[in-house]
């Protein structure tokens, strides 16, 4: 949610910053801007729209300098236009700020600053930071930022430059910020992809830390000014993983790389008929597991609940992180809070985690991004290891989360001294191969997509473990094709949604073979009787269900526990092809951002 990059060094700064913004575009893309200091003045260019619009405008200007900051915006306060784009400057145009987050008391601060004669030009909450720093500036940027921060309430990842100072001052509370350490050059960024091409050495700032960055040095302090020594981490991702590698979109690439991604999630975790995980608390003492997450990760949590209850025999609850944090949940030291997050930065999930910690729960994170805030705050964790997920719509993270949750349930069962289902383990080990088989349906799915590309509404239905898959299929379609879609437990439709069904309503049934197949067939008949148009995801050798469906998509037959992984694949592809056939920007759907670091 909003992307920040900054640089101090000898490289050609404008292409470097623009390239960094491009890599952060998944975080927001309604406007962008860049500001470079040549030690005499600040030169700023901003544009409405994507980074490519900014790049066109920058071409006609000379923006040389050794220090610069840049920003790609996901609007919270104020419409997406040039005035609201960052960087924001003070009245004298001597200092510039870029900000990711929300300043909650911006109205009160705006009143105060206006009374003092500051001219606020934008509708954003962020611009007041520039004016506050200006108010306190007396030839010491760091001191002025510190004073400004004392007045600010809310969340920020912040970078500030001043034309007279050879430094970038950065601060973090609630919104991610990293420092990239180079050879006689330094970077700051919201996320690793922006700087990976230049350095793999990063420092993760924590909340309430301030860093002063000069060309060869960084000093990190807390709000009281005490110096903090932090480790430099080495990033394991490589630049190739950040590229589309010939695919039209990152989303398609990420769907297609699921066999490898899931193999990476499994690597080293199944050995000699046992599950190997590192959980640093006593599993025997678990009373209950609460799983919190948002969006797609919440869907995997629903599947995780099934696993934890049926395999580990532990009561499990699932909560939207945004709801959990505000409803005085009853949590004790015998509960374990599992937080699931691809990015590891989702504000609501992080807040739910912190709430659980205050209530003494043990915490475990299932996270993809190494070093992200959630991974640094949980007691224990399971990394997904699926590599960077850049398409805004989550795909490989979802299937990997399901795998991680299954491993967790099996692990708990095993640690409780019970036998675990060896056959299930064997099947799980083979799942990358089955995913590969499912992906071979891509051409067929494209044809199905072409039939329904003009539909205005979709229903997605599934039962048991595949109800969350139906929810996930509907979410994928909504996000990237802007078609209204609802997911329901199949048997629930007769309690309301069946009223929607007519010949214009495509109904996607997740109907692979399991003990509920006969029930699903009855639900299909109810839809058929009302002229609904059925798209069915069925097992490879199915004959019966296929007779009821108007379009069928076959997937390899797997045991029930693994069916959500396989069944998610055609739904991801269906959403992808519909959105692509509509000519939409699949990787950057309107109004969305990959990492939601505001409430
Ligand atoms: C859907 C999607 C979002 C995220 C949600 C949580 O495709 O990407 O719904 O799943 O914002 O994000 P993480 O998993 O990063 O916490």
């Amino acid at each position: 949610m909003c992307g920040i990059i900054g640089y101090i060094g000898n490289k050609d700064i404008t292409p470097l910053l623009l390239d960094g913004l491009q890599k952060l575009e998944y975080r927001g893309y309604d406007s962008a801007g860049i500001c470079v200091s040549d030690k005499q003045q600040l030169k700023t260019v901003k544009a409405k729209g994507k980074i490519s619009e900014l790049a066109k405008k920058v071409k006609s200007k000379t923006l040389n300098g050794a220090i610069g900051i840049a920003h790609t915006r996901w609007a919270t306060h104020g419409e997406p236009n040039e005035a609201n784009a960052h960087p924001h400057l003070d009245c004298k145009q001597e200092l510039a700020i870029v900000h990711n987050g929300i300043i909650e008391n911006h109205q009160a601060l705006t009143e105060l600053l206006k009374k003092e004669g500051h001219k606020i030009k934008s509708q954003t909450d962020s611009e007041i930071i520039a004016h506050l720093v200006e108010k306190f500036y007396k030839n010491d940027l760091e001191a002025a930022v510190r004073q400004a921060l004392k007045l600010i309430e809310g969340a920020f990842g912040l970078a500030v430059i001043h034309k007279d100072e050879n430094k970038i001052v950065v601060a973090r509370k609630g919104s991610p910020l990293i420092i990239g350490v180079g050879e006689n050059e330094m970077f700051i960024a919201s996320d690793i992809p922006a700087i990976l091409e230049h350095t793999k050495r990063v420092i993760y700032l924590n909340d309430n830390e301030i860093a002063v960055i000069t060309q060869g040095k960084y000093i990190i302090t807390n709000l009281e000014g005490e110096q903090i020594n932090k480790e430099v981490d080495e990033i394991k991702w490589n630049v190739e993983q950040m590229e589309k590698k010939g695919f039209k979109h990152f989303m398609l690439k990420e769907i297609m790389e699921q066999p490898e991604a899931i193999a990476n999630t499994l690597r080293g975790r199944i050995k000699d008929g046992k599950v190997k995980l590192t959980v640093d608390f006593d599993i025997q003492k678990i009373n209950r597991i609460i799983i919190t997450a948002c969006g797609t990760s919440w869907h995997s949590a629903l599947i995780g609940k099934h696993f934890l209850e049926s395999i580990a025999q532990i009561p499990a609850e699932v909560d939207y992180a945004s709801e959990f944090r505000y409803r005085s949940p009853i949590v004790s030291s015998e509960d374990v809070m599992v937080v699931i997050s691809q990015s590891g930065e989702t504000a609501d999930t992080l807040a739910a985690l912190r709430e659980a910690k205050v209530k003494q729960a043990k915490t475990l994170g299932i996270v993809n991004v190494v070093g992200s805030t959630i991974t640094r705050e949980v007691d224990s964790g399971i990394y997904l290891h699926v590599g960077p997920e850049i398409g805004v719509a989550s795909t490989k993270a979802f299937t990997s989360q399901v795998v991680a949750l299954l491993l967790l349930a099996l692990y708990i069962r095993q640690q409780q001294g019970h036998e675990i289902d060896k056959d299930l383990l064997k099947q799980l080990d083979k799942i990358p191969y089955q995913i590969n088989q499912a992906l071979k349906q891509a051409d067929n799915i494209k044809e199905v997509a072409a039939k329904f590309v003009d539909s205005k509404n979709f229903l997605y239905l599934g039962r048991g473990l595949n109800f969350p898959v139906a929810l996930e299929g509907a979410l994928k379609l909504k996000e990237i094709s802007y078609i209204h879609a609802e997911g329901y437990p199949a048997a629930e439709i007769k309690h309301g949604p069946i009223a929607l069904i007519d010949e214009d309503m495509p109904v996607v049934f997740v109907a692979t073979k399991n003990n509920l197949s006969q029930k699903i067939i009855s639900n299909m008949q109810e839809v058929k009787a009302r002229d609904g148009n059925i798209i069915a995801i069925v097992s490879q050798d199915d004959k019966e269900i296929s007779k009821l469906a108007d379009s069928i998509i076959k997937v390899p037959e797997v045991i029930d526990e693994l069916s959500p992984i396989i069944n998610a694949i055609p739904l991801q592809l269906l959403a992808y092809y519909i959105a692509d056939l509509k000519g939409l920007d699949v990787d950057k759907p309107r109004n969305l951002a990959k990492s939601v670091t505001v409430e």
Side-chain angles (χ1 to χ4, degrees), residues 294-297 340-343 346 392-394 475-476 479 596:
C294 303
T296 287
S297 300
I340 309 177
S341 175
Q342 187 286 130
S343 61
T346 300
V392 164
S394 189
L475 179 64
K476 289 290 88 92
E479 282 182 294
V596 185

Side-chain angles (χ1 to χ4, degrees), residues 332-389:
S332 81
S333 57
E334 263 136 56
D335 292 327
V336 172
M337 155 78 86
V338 173
V339 287
I340 309 177
S341 175
Q342 187 286 130
S343 61
E345 299 291 352
T346 300
D348 285 321
T349 312
L350 190 55
L353 166 68
R354 288 176 180 163
E355 175 75 20
K357 285 181 82 165
V358 168
K359 298 193 161 164
Q360 316 279 311
K362 322 265 181 322
T363 57
L364 184 139
I366 296 181
V367 177
N368 189 35
V369 178
V370 177
S372 54
T373 309
I374 289 177
T375 66
R376 286 179 282 128
E377 298 199 11
V378 286
D379 299 320
S380 262
I382 305 174
Y383 274 122
L384 300 178
H385 294 309
V386 295
E389 191 181 67

Side-chain angles (χ1 to χ4, degrees), residues 38-72:
D38 66 2
K39 297 184 189 167
Q40 283 166 5
Q41 57 169 330
L42 299 180
K43 294 182 206 156
T44 310
V45 182
K46 302 193 209 184
K48 181 180 171 184
K50 302 217 165 113
I51 312 296
S52 50
E53 298 303 315
L54 177 69
K56 276 186 222 155
K57 278 183 90 175
V58 166
K59 254 191 195 163
S60 57
K61 316 252 174 192
T62 332
L63 288 180
N64 298 329
I67 304 176
I69 52 176
H71 185 272
T72 179

Side-chain angles (χ1 to χ4, degrees), residues 331-491:
V331 181
S332 81
S333 57
E334 263 136 56
D335 292 327
V336 172
M337 155 78 86
V338 173
V339 287
I340 309 177
S341 175
Q342 187 286 130
S343 61
E345 299 291 352
T346 300
D348 285 321
T349 312
L350 190 55
L353 166 68
R354 288 176 180 163
E355 175 75 20
K357 285 181 82 165
V358 168
K359 298 193 161 164
Q360 316 279 311
K362 322 265 181 322
T363 57
L364 184 139
I366 296 181
V367 177
N368 189 35
V369 178
V370 177
S372 54
T373 309
I374 289 177
T375 66
R376 286 179 282 128
E377 298 199 11
V378 286
D379 299 320
S380 262
I382 305 174
Y383 274 122
L384 300 178
H385 294 309
V386 295
E389 191 181 67
I390 293 170
V392 164
S394 189
T395 51
K396 61 179 177 174
F398 173 74
T399 43
S400 164
Q401 287 163 353
V402 175
V403 167
L405 285 157
L406 185 51
L407 286 172
L408 178 65
L410 288 163
Y411 176 78
I412 295 175
R413 174 101 185 133
Q414 168 189 292
Q415 296 308 100
Q416 287 168 337
H418 300 293
E419 269 298 298
I420 53 171
D421 184 343
K422 298 279 180 320
D423 183 52
L424 173 52
L425 270 195
K426 263 196 218 143
Q427 306 280 340
L428 181 56
D429 219 15
K430 283 200 307 213
I431 198 74
Y433 170 77
Q434 326 264 31
I435 297 174
N436 211 12
Q437 297 300 104
L439 288 168
K440 291 195 174 138
Q441 284 292 312
D443 287 342
N444 172 32
I445 297 169
K446 200 171 180 176
E447 282 170 26
V448 177
K451 279 201 234 165
F452 294 98
V453 67
D454 294 321
S455 298
K456 300 280 178 276
N457 299 285
F458 270 73
L459 263 183
Y460 282 71
L461 304 176
R463 300 189 70 148
L465 282 165
N466 283 300
F467 158 53
V469 175
L471 290 177
E472 176 59 7
L475 179 64
K476 289 290 88 92
L477 190 72
K478 283 185 259 213
E479 282 182 294
I480 59 170
S481 72
Y482 318 143
I483 295 173
H484 171 243
E486 301 270 357
Y488 264 94

Side-chain angles (χ1 to χ4, degrees), residues 141-179:
L141 186 60
E142 181 190 350
V145 171
R146 279 183 189 284
Q147 278 185 283
L149 291 185
K150 282 188 190 148
L151 298 185
I152 287 172
E153 287 164 20
F156 50 82
L158 175 70
V160 192
I161 57 173
H162 190 287
K163 74 172 183 52
D164 296 333
E165 302 205 23
N166 290 331
K167 61 178 71 138
I168 308 176
V169 178
V170 297
R172 169 194 164 142
K173 186 180 160 207
S175 302
L177 212 52
I178 56 170
I179 301 171

Side-chain angles (χ1 to χ4, degrees), residues 122-266:
S122 75
Q123 302 153 325
T124 65
D125 54 329
S126 306
E127 186 189 345
I128 55 122
I129 306 173
H131 294 276
L132 273 182
V133 178
E134 175 183 33
K135 169 182 161 76
F136 293 118
Y137 186 76
K138 290 191 186 72
N139 302 319
D140 184 345
L141 186 60
E142 181 190 350
V145 171
R146 279 183 189 284
Q147 278 185 283
L149 291 185
K150 282 188 190 148
L151 298 185
I152 287 172
E153 287 164 20
F156 50 82
L158 175 70
V160 192
I161 57 173
H162 190 287
K163 74 172 183 52
D164 296 333
E165 302 205 23
N166 290 331
K167 61 178 71 138
I168 308 176
V169 178
V170 297
R172 169 194 164 142
K173 186 180 160 207
S175 302
L177 212 52
I178 56 170
I179 301 171
V181 182
E183 293 295 322
N184 200 28
E185 60 182 357
M186 301 288 269
F187 304 81
I188 56 124
S190 302
D191 200 358
I192 295 158
I195 58 171
L196 190 64
E197 198 182 320
H198 307 284
T199 182
K200 288 192 166 188
R201 303 181 66 223
V202 301
I203 297 162
Y204 299 98
L205 278 191
N206 283 333
D207 280 354
N208 300 315
E209 289 179 350
I210 297 176
V212 177
I213 293 154
T214 49
Q215 188 161 345
K217 221 167 101 183
Y218 58 88
I219 296 173
I220 303 169
T221 50
N222 60 19
L223 291 180
E224 288 71 47
E226 292 153 352
Q227 202 163 323
I228 301 169
N229 292 322
K230 297 184 72 115
E231 275 180 26
V232 178
D233 279 290
E234 191 78 23
I235 301 299
K236 303 275 184 302
W237 293 352
N238 57 45
V239 177
E240 292 79 68
Q241 286 176 296
M242 308 276 175
E243 284 161 3
K244 282 192 211 148
K245 289 194 191 147
F247 286 97
K248 187 169 178 190
H249 294 103
F250 279 109
M251 183 179 176
L252 185 59
K253 175 191 164 225
E254 287 157 8
I255 292 172
M256 292 299 176
E257 68 192 13
Q258 286 175 104
E260 192 193 331
I262 298 304
N264 286 337
T265 307
L266 288 169

